[in-house]
Amino acid sequence: MKERLRRLLPLLVFTLCALLILARAQQRDVVYSDEAFHPAGEHAKGEAQGDGQQVYQAALHQQWDGNGGGGKDPLLVQEALSILRAVKPSKKSLVRSDKPSGVFGTTLYYAKEAFYLLFLNGPPEHDDLSLQSGQRRLSKPLAKAIKLLEEAARHHDADATFLLAEMNFYGNFTHPRNYREAFRRYHDLSSQTGNSSAQHMLGFMYATGIGGAVERDQARALLYHTFAAKGGSIRSEMTVAFRHHSGIGTQRNCDAAAFHYKKVADKAIEFSRSGPPGGIGLLRDTYRLADEEGGVYGEGASVTSAGVNANKGGPNSDSHASFDDVLEYLDLMSRKGDLKATFSLGRLHYEGSRALNRNFKKAKAYFMIVAKKYWARDGRIITGGPGGIEKVASKAAGYIGRMFLRAEGTEQSLEKALTWFRRGLANGDALCQYELGLMYLKGYGVPPDVLKATDYFKAAADQDFASAQVNLGKLFLDQGDVRTGIRYFELAARHGHIEAFYYLAELSNQGIGRDRSCGIATAYYKIVSEKAEEVHTSIEEANQAYENGDLVTALVDYMMAAEQGYENGQANVAYLLDEHKSILPLNSLLPWTKRRPRLLRNAALALIYWTRSAKQSNIDSMVKMGDYYLGGWGTNLDKERAALCYQTAAEFQQSAQALWNLGWMHENGIGVEQDFHLAKRFYDQALETNQEAYLPVKLSLLKLRMRSFWNTITNGHVNSIQSEPEPKKEWSFREWISNFLEDDHPYYHDGDDNDLADPTPQDPMPGGDDYYDKIDEGLVESLIIIGLASALVFLVYYRQQRTLNHRRAAEQQGQAPAQPLPGQQPDGGFFPPPGDPNFNQWVAGGFGH
């Protein structure tokens, strides 16, 4: 045994050495603080304005030509940039690393993590973001470049100042982040030149207080953003619009919000109309990070993944499949000759998505496979194809023609585009109809003809093609038919078409064809502005940084989008800052786990963005607001406000979590009056809203019933659970008579236990003729009773009338009335009236005895 251990000792030593080397490498590359490294070119956030913009674009894209924006020492800046281009960026950022696949890779991953946590994880390093860059050791080339830029900045070179500010803020060229230094440089540049980019960054830093560089001051943030917007910064323009729209740093002002949002929408619509015929296809990059994990509270507990939004697909459906699985399945079916799958592959590659980049060449290849199955080279139709091939081939022809028209993946050829559109037109394809209408409207390869264009647009619009509806609406608007134009714009807006929202905003803002509505106009302008993400946001860079594991950069970029009013950006910032995702987080149990960067530990800022996201109808964010007020995270403890947040989130019965929280608060009397009966009602509503809440609700109800029982037997002061009375429908007299005649009243039904017994074998038709005989008998009895009662009433009435008539006749003839019979009263009755001496004896039963 000892001999075997001696043989394994060298292998064990070798393994430990390898793990030590890997862990040391990881320790050097992991970014634990906000002083993250980012190479040049990794952060492209330029705006087409500002005299420091040329250097900004050059620093990030490494294409600067040495002509500073008015700098006095351009040679120093040029020399510094040449040095910075040679600096090798840090390529690893393992803040959020994905686990490797495979048995060996997974084993090595966990072995390395365990070795690092046990032996190499020392006390946490100081990550104060206010440290001066000189306190951290810089490489010699970087230090030399910084010295040159600082020398130029001392001579008030705007380009050098701007570049230093960007390096300290974003960490470009491996420079450590230093937000206080960045703020100082931006402030100097803004004071010296009025640079709008610097003013925008100052407004952002005042709004967020990022890195502790400056205290949050929403009024100053609005001031700097306003100056930047006047200087042409579209990002600040959108930020100012959102602040006036939501009342951040100022009172809510709808007209001011509409004014600024209109400026952004004008630039967005101008961008969308540029490019190839038909405009630029806008891709939506923004999404909620929490949705990738099933929501803020996880799968099944969040509104985004529970209730009506739950994924209800069965185990054999494709609703749970990943995008790669769907792509693989379509490829398999395409290889087997499924033309619909082939067309779907082409469309996926043509339109692109967050999970798949656009690839026009692949898309065209798939479309051509479909088209060649239906058309020969000379345009002749190939007979004998599978059923429905003409529809799929026509759709493919529309995309092929569109690619020739827009020069996507191929050279532009208006003649070929026209040929393919006409092929698809023969089978009534909506895309071909729209594109032909566009060619005749603009004169692309054909003589302009508005009438033909209108006919083609009308045919495509009748098939609910959004782009055709927008163009048809514009034609009607030009002819003065505002009502019809609005109708087509509203139809296209259902599909999220950017131009449809823009025209609806313009018409609402100017009061054309309808009463002016500032609120509606602002909402539409905001939608238009947020659709052009490429123009004024950093969302794409934020997504890329998050996927690469650089949470700090992702947070900063999402924060910029959040300040512009993007709800997804606000939710993402709050989600990244949230440290309360679990009641028992692992970090609280294992002291050697990795610390979160300081920038990601700001509960007060998280609450701000949860609040802003909730105001834009994010129910999960509203519930999170309640959690923060209930726990006193980032704010003072406020149980009443927490209950109000839960109540607001539960109004539409979409959040089972909010309903359960309200039940818990009423059960324990936290923030609301203690009421066991009301607590049970909220627990029941939580289960009705989300069936996945079955276990927690049932456990809570079990505990609640025990507490309510004890409260009842001890005469407690809390309202116990009460049985809900069954509501009874109040019938009118007419309905009561009708139901009484139709069937025996339930109160008079004398049921027998044998009525529920199984029919005997001798019964030829159980529940058949005998059943209807019983109904007929009950109906006859009811009619007899009613008849007898009516007859009795009639006889009494007849007797009274007869006696009265007889008395009147006697009085008229002067005759004395007939003497009453022995024992009969003067009025003809046999019972003594009240006041008669015999009345008491009659009441006691002694009369007549």
Side-chain angles (χ1 to χ4, degrees), residues 37-294:
F37 294 162
H38 299 285
E42 191 176 272
H43 218 71
K45 338 169 81 52
E47 299 178 21
Q49 38 74 37
D51 52 5
Q53 182 61 34
Q54 293 179 346
V55 177
Y56 183 56
Q57 292 286 354
L60 297 180
H61 297 287
Q62 304 182 8
Q63 294 178 350
W64 187 71
D65 57 2
N67 296 322
K72 298 183 179 180
D73 294 288
L75 294 180
L76 292 177
V77 178
Q78 184 179 9
E79 184 180 356
L81 281 174
S82 63
I83 295 174
L84 291 175
R85 292 191 187 102
V87 175
K88 294 183 179 180
S90 174
K91 297 183 180 180
K92 293 185 179 180
S93 180
L94 302 177
V95 177
R96 176 181 170 269
S97 58
D98 296 328
K99 297 172 186 164
S101 59
V103 177
F104 178 76
T106 303
T107 304
L108 182 61
Y109 172 82
Y110 281 111
K112 184 176 64 173
E113 288 291 316
F115 188 83
Y116 173 80
L117 292 174
L118 292 173
F119 300 107
L120 297 177
N121 194 25
E125 299 179 1
H126 186 69
D127 61 349
D128 189 358
L129 297 176
S130 64
L131 292 175
Q132 299 294 328
S133 60
Q135 292 180 259
R136 178 162 181 164
R137 188 181 182 88
L138 305 178
S139 63
K140 291 183 178 180
L142 180 60
K144 183 178 179 180
I146 294 298
K147 186 176 181 180
L148 293 172
L149 290 175
E150 289 179 345
E151 179 66 23
R154 278 194 292 270
H155 292 84
H156 305 291
D157 188 287
D159 296 339
T161 305
F162 187 80
L163 185 56
L164 284 171
E166 296 287 277
M167 292 172 67
N168 280 280
F169 188 87
Y170 292 114
N172 294 324
F173 302 107
T174 72
H175 191 281
R177 293 176 185 266
N178 190 325
Y179 292 110
R180 290 189 178 179
E181 178 67 15
F183 178 83
R184 186 177 72 85
R185 296 291 183 181
Y186 284 132
H187 190 273
D188 292 344
L189 183 60
S190 174
S191 302
Q192 295 169 8
T193 65
N195 182 276
S196 61
S197 295
Q199 291 170 341
H200 167 75
M201 295 303 298
L202 288 173
F204 172 76
M205 298 184 81
Y206 271 118
T208 61
I210 185 171
V214 66
E215 291 292 331
R216 285 196 301 272
D217 190 333
Q218 303 301 337
R220 287 191 179 184
L222 179 60
L223 179 65
Y224 276 108
H225 278 305
T226 303
F227 286 147
K230 290 184 178 296
S233 172
I234 188 173
R235 294 188 178 188
S236 288
E237 192 85 64
M238 191 169 179
T239 304
V240 172
F242 176 70
R243 286 178 168 264
H244 282 293
H245 179 60
S246 302
I248 302 175
T250 183
Q251 294 182 350
R252 296 187 65 178
N253 189 329
C254 183
D255 291 327
F259 173 78
H260 290 286
Y261 267 130
K262 173 175 167 51
K263 286 190 173 183
V264 182
D266 290 341
K267 294 180 181 179
I269 209 69
E270 180 183 357
F271 174 78
S272 69
R273 290 172 177 172
S274 62
I280 294 178
L282 301 176
L283 296 178
R284 186 174 178 84
D285 292 318
T286 179
Y287 70 100
R288 294 179 187 149
L289 301 178
D291 290 353
E292 300 295 304
E293 308 296 333

Side-chain angles (χ1 to χ4, degrees), residues 710-724:
W710 179 256
N711 177 74
T712 302
I713 63 176
T714 58
N715 295 322
H717 64 281
V718 183
N719 183 27
S720 298
I721 299 176
Q722 303 171 6
S723 58
E724 296 283 352

